[in-house]
Amino acid sequence: MRAQPIKPIIFAAIFGAISGWMFESLTRNDWEGFIYPNRYDLTKYISIGHFQTIEECGATIQIMLTDLRMSDHSDYECGLNCKASDPFPKVCKETSR
């Protein structure tokens, strides 16, 4: 009985699955949408959620600004892979409108 070769195959499969999961989680693009009710005070913001693409983020913000009738006095941005950071509320790898 030569069942020994199966163990390296199982190990390789488990290692591959874990490596793939870690790579995917480290390279994932997570866009977060922010609305600033007062465009001159960026310390106060509303986080509107997380999106897979910047296009989804921007489109959702535009709809919300229109629905809330906030477009005249407010501002917005979408941030990529944002993290909490003291003293700032969030620091993002990249921001865009």
Side-chain angles (χ1 to χ4, degrees):
M1 294 177 106
R2 293 176 47 108
Q4 299 258 344
I6 295 176
K7 289 182 182 178
I9 292 172
I10 293 173
F11 175 76
I14 291 171
F15 181 76
I18 291 172
S19 297
W21 173 78
M22 288 178 62
F23 178 77
E24 190 272 330
S25 66
L26 292 174
T27 59
R28 181 179 315 158
N29 287 337
D30 177 45
W31 290 93
E32 187 172 357
F34 302 97
I35 293 176
Y36 302 99
N38 177 350
R39 71 175 61 200
Y40 302 107
D41 183 3
L42 303 183
T43 63
K44 294 178 178 66
Y45 66 92
I46 302 165
S47 176
I48 63 159
H50 297 263
F51 305 90
Q52 291 182 358
T53 67
I54 190 170
E55 292 81 12
E56 290 175 357
C57 179
T60 302
I61 287 176
Q62 291 300 325
I63 292 168
M64 291 187 77
L65 288 174
T66 301
D67 288 350
L68 297 171
R69 294 184 175 94
M70 294 177 67
S71 57
D72 292 340
H73 309 297
S74 62
D75 201 2
Y76 71 93
E77 67 183 342
C78 296
L80 176 63
N81 299 333
C82 301
K83 306 284 184 210
S85 177
D86 194 31
F88 304 105
K90 299 262 183 155
V91 173
C92 305
K93 181 177 178 182
E94 174 185 337
T95 59
S96 184
R97 292 189 68 198

